[in-house]
């Protein structure tokens, strides 16, 4: 072709092969992440066939990190962040110290310098943003105490890594040789001032400007413009945070999302970014696979196993002990420790910087990449084992709030979704004094349902555990008011399996969705456009009569 198509080729190859491998992984009942990583290996430079552009893939993956952290920030308030500071700050720092020490021991055993071993250990100490959040979101744990601690821990790790990325060139670069300790102190002071400046800018200026911009766009009535505004804010703040204040893209996006999360438009903003968020998150895993050279498993099996052991065992044990030392139960400690038993994007950046400064040998970078891929591959398995281990404890992922009743098990009607349609349904049912259980995954909507008099479960209704928690096995009617047809179909199928006698009424927006919901087991499907047309036609007939 007459023009360069490397970007298009990278996206097509990454998403196309990821789809095939992800579908195969789903068919084999293993985590789709394994398929995405394998897809990256297949299109990477170390395997025959098509080779995607690694540099472009990493930049595309960074967009996924930005959008993912922005989405988490939308559901994560400043109050939630401050509530875990007493464990997240000292815990993260102590865990980084332990992991760094273990990595240094391995590096020294391999014959590296003290400086190179320290960089290697530091790269093993920080967890991947994408892997941690995907694991928490898949189990509805982001907004639980366990999830808040894990995310707060991650934010502290990011801040420490930002400081390390600035101090390493000052210590080992040309300026470090000239400036000595004075130059190092000056560099550290500049970094701290920039971080403080970024925080001040976000909470003093951006906190007033960004919500105003979003509300103005919402009142314009243009959905396309609103979606564009959300993406511009997420990407723009993240880019500005990295370029102007030298903090990470992920940290900037998280704070942008947290500020917008205080507005009434947070739910809509989250929905608008969801498709891109998922697509680019997949590209992140593909990019990790592209960096992996399978030959390192054959040439250096011992060091690879030792690296993985530090990441999966050493970090986990340290995090578990620290969380328990702060007085939290074993379930919380197990969740946090498993969440951090992997490494990702910051590890690659540190490894590249260390090699560029000629401090870390290239062998160290290979081991970091191998450790990253294998730990990401093992992480979903560890999470599943951890969840099974915690089944005897009371689940924290579900928040059950009763009105005149401690649990929703006796409710005759279960309503899924308390948005524009669900809130009208809920007000009619609760207004008649009937029992109603609402399943909602958004805090503001859940609060509104609670105020209306419903029993509320905060969680993802597509999860079988959440449906069972609502007492669906003894309920008489299930009302599905969410607008997403794919999720509604999954809910209908699982609900029908739980209670074959249940009367299921669902909402649809097209003839195809109606057919799909009926095929999956819905008794009645209400199509908004069809009902509107019927009512309008009835009104017209009355006037003609």
């Amino acid at each position: 072709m007459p023009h360069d198509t490397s970007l298009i080729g990278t996206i097509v190859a990454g998403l196309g092969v990821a789809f095939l491998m992800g579908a195969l992984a789903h068919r084999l009942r293993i985590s789709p992440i394994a398929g995405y990583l394998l897809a990256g290996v297949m299109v990477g430079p170390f395997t025959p066939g098509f080779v995607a552009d690694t540099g472009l893939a990493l930049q595309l993956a960074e967009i996924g990190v930005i959008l993912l952290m922005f989405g988490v920030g939308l559901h994560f308030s400043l109050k939630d962040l401050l509530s875990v500071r007493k464990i997240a700050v000292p815990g993260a720092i102590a865990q980084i110290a332990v992991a760094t020490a273990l990595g240094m021991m391995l590096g020294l055993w391999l014959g590296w310098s003290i400086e190179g071993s320290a960089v290697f250990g530091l790269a093993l100490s920080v967890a991947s943003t994408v892997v941690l959040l995907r694991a928490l979101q898949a189990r509805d744990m982001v907004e639980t105490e366990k999830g808040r601690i894990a995310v707060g821990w991650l934010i502290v790790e990011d801040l420490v890594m930002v400081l390390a990325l600035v101090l390493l060139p000052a210590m080992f670069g040309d300026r470090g040789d000239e400036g000595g300790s004075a130059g190092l102190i000056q560099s550290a002071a500049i970094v701290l001032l920039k971080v403080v400046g970024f925080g001040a800018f976000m909470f003093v200026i951006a906190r007033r400007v960004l919500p105003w911009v979003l509300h103005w766009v919402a009142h314009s009535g243009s959905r396309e413009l609103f979606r564009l505004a959300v993406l511009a804010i997420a990407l723009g703040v993240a880019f500005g945070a990295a370029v102007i204040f030298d903090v990470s893209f992920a940290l900037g996006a998280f704070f942008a999302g947290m500020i917008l999360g205080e507005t009434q438009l947070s739910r809509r903003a989250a929905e608008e970014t969801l498709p891109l968020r998922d697509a680019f998150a997949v590209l992140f895993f593909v990019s990790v696979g592209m960096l992996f050279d399978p030959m390192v498993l054959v040439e250096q099996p011992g060091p690879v196993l030792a690296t993985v052991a530090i990441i999966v065992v050493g970090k986990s044990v340290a995090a578990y002990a620290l969380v328990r030392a702060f007085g939290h139960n074993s379930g919380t400690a197990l969740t946090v420790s498993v969440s951090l038993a992997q490494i990702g994007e910051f590890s690659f950046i540190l490894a590249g910087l260390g090699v560029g400064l000629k401090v870390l040998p290239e062998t160290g970078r290979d081991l970091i990449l191998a450790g990253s891929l294998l730990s990401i591959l093992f992480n979903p398995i560890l999470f599943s084992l951890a969840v099974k281990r915690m089944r005897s404890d009371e689940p924290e992922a579900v928040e059950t709030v009763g009105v005149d009743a401690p649990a929703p098990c006796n409710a005759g009607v279960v309503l899924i979704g308390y948005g524009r349609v669900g809130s009208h349904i809920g007000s009619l049912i609760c207004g008649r004094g009937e029992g109603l259980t609402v399943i909602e995954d958004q805090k503001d909507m859940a609060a509104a349902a609670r105020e209306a008099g419903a029993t509320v479960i905060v969680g993802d209704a597509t999860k079988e555990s959440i449906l069972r928690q609502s007492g669906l096995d003894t309920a008489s009617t299930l009302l599905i008011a969410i607008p997403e047809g794919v999720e509604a179909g999954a809910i209908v199928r699982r609900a029908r399996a739980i209670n074959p006698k249940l009367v299921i009424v669902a909402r649809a927006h097209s003839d195809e969705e109606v057919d799909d919901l009926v095929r999956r087991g819905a008794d009645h499907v209400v199509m908004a456009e069809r009902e509107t047309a019927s009512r309008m036609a009835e009104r017209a007939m009355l006037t003609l009569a």
Side-chain angles (χ1 to χ4, degrees):
M1 296 182 67
H3 54 276
D4 189 9
T5 59
S6 57
L7 175 61
I8 298 176
T10 300
I11 295 176
V12 171
L15 293 180
V17 181
F19 165 71
L20 295 176
M21 294 298 102
L24 178 61
H26 180 76
R27 185 72 175 175
L28 297 176
R29 297 185 180 277
I30 60 178
S31 173
I33 292 176
Y36 305 152
L37 291 170
L38 180 59
V41 175
M42 293 173 64
V43 301
F46 302 104
T47 53
F50 176 81
V51 177
D53 191 313
T54 304
L56 288 176
L58 290 174
Q59 292 188 49
L60 293 170
E62 196 69 61
I63 296 177
V65 176
I66 291 171
L67 295 177
L68 192 67
M69 287 299 288
F70 178 75
V72 172
L74 287 172
H75 304 105
F76 206 90
S77 66
L78 180 61
K79 181 180 178 181
D80 292 335
L81 188 61
L82 294 177
S83 67
V84 298
R85 69 187 186 281
K86 293 182 179 179
I87 179 175
V89 175
I93 294 174
Q95 179 253 302
I96 288 173
V98 172
T100 302
L102 292 173
M104 286 185 66
M105 292 172 60
L106 176 59
L108 293 174
W109 180 71
L110 293 173
W112 303 342
S113 65
I114 295 178
E115 295 84 358
S117 301
V119 173
F120 178 73
L122 197 61
L124 300 185
S125 69
V126 57
S128 166
T129 300
V130 178
V131 176
L132 184 145
L133 294 177
R134 286 292 288 266
L136 293 177
Q137 288 175 341
R139 294 161 180 83
D140 300 302
M141 299 174 69
V142 174
E143 298 181 25
T144 65
E145 181 189 22
K146 302 172 185 177
R148 287 194 295 270
I149 292 174
V151 173
W153 200 296
L154 182 74
I155 296 301
V156 176
E157 285 190 348
D158 279 358
L159 289 173
V160 173
M161 291 305 113
V162 168
L163 183 63
L165 289 174
V166 176
L167 292 183
L168 284 177
M171 294 171 64
F172 303 115
D174 294 335
R175 290 179 299 172
D177 295 336
E178 297 176 3
S181 60
L184 183 60
I185 296 174
Q186 182 180 2
S187 298
I190 292 174
V191 173
L192 293 176
L193 285 175
K194 287 183 176 180
V195 171
V196 172
F198 171 70
F201 172 80
M202 293 301 295
F203 290 109
V204 175
I205 300 176
R207 196 174 187 179
R208 299 178 181 179
V209 175
L210 296 183
W212 177 84
V213 171
L214 205 61
H215 277 285
W216 179 83
V217 175
H219 288 136
S220 70
S222 172
R223 182 175 183 180
E224 178 182 349
L225 195 59
F226 182 85
R227 184 184 297 117
L228 184 61
V230 173
L231 293 174
I233 289 173
L235 297 172
V237 171
F239 185 76
V243 173
I244 300 173
F245 296 99
D246 283 337
V247 301
S248 66
F249 290 117
L251 197 62
F254 175 80
F255 276 97
M258 193 165 60
I259 288 174
L260 294 183
E262 298 176 356
T263 70
Q264 296 180 348
L265 296 170
S266 60
R267 180 187 178 92
R268 185 179 171 188
E271 291 174 349
E272 295 294 345
T273 58
L274 183 60
L276 279 177
R277 194 162 69 228
D278 288 344
F280 281 102
V282 169
L283 287 177
F284 166 79
F285 294 107
V286 173
S287 69
V288 174
M290 290 174 63
L291 295 172
F292 179 65
D293 183 1
M295 289 304 298
V296 73
L297 300 176
V298 178
E299 297 172 354
Q300 304 182 67
V304 168
L305 289 176
T307 302
V308 174
I310 292 173
I311 299 169
V312 176
V313 180
K315 287 175 60 178
S316 296
V317 172
Y320 183 91
L322 288 166
V323 176
R324 290 290 285 165
F326 279 91
H328 290 270
N329 59 40
S330 59
T332 300
L334 191 60
T335 300
V336 174
S337 62
V338 172
S339 299
L340 302 172
Q342 36 77 21
I343 60 174
E345 53 273 13
F346 261 121
S347 303
F348 311 149
I349 298 173
L350 277 172
L353 181 61
V355 172
L357 294 172
K358 298 182 179 180
V359 175
L360 179 69
E362 293 188 4
T363 303
R365 181 178 58 187
D366 294 338
L367 292 178
I368 290 170
L369 292 174
S372 172
L373 187 139
L374 294 175
S375 64
I376 291 174
L377 190 62
F378 294 151
N379 197 251
I381 301 174
L382 295 176
F383 239 111
S384 298
L385 294 175
V387 170
K388 291 181 181 179
R389 173 67 178 81
M390 293 184 292
R391 278 181 178 174
S392 58
D393 300 331
E394 183 179 356
E396 280 189 79
V398 179
E399 178 188 353
T400 306
V401 183
V403 179
D404 300 329
C409 299
N410 298 323
V413 179
V414 177
L415 171 64
I416 296 176
Y418 207 77
R420 289 179 299 175
V421 175
S423 59
H424 287 295
I425 297 173
S427 61
L428 291 172
I429 296 176
C430 293
R432 297 177 56 184
E434 302 292 338
L436 177 67
T437 298
V438 174
I439 301 177
E440 175 58 60
D441 62 354
Q442 301 292 327
K443 285 184 177 181
D444 53 345
M445 301 297 179
R450 191 176 303 126
E451 291 176 2
T455 300
V456 179
I457 294 179
V458 180
D460 184 357
T462 61
K463 307 297 183 184
E464 183 178 343
S465 60
I466 302 295
L467 293 175
R468 291 188 180 279
Q469 180 70 19
S470 69
L472 203 63
D473 53 342
T474 59
S476 61
T477 307
L478 172 64
L479 305 176
I480 304 175
I482 59 175
E484 295 83 10
V486 176
E487 287 81 356
I491 294 170
V492 169
R493 179 171 57 82
R494 291 186 174 93
R496 181 59 68 200
I498 294 173
N499 187 350
K501 298 180 179 180
L502 187 68
V503 176
I504 302 177
V505 183
R507 171 188 176 191
H509 288 285
S510 67
D511 293 331
E512 290 79 7
E513 288 185 3
V514 172
D515 295 339
D516 180 65
L517 291 169
V518 171
R519 186 169 60 252
R520 290 176 181 268
D523 297 289
H524 308 283
V525 180
V526 179
M527 182 176 169
E529 291 79 359
R530 188 180 298 166
E531 295 297 323
T532 302
S534 298
R535 292 295 298 274
M536 292 178 71
E538 289 176 6
R539 293 288 182 180
M541 292 300 103
L542 289 175
T543 58
L544 293 175

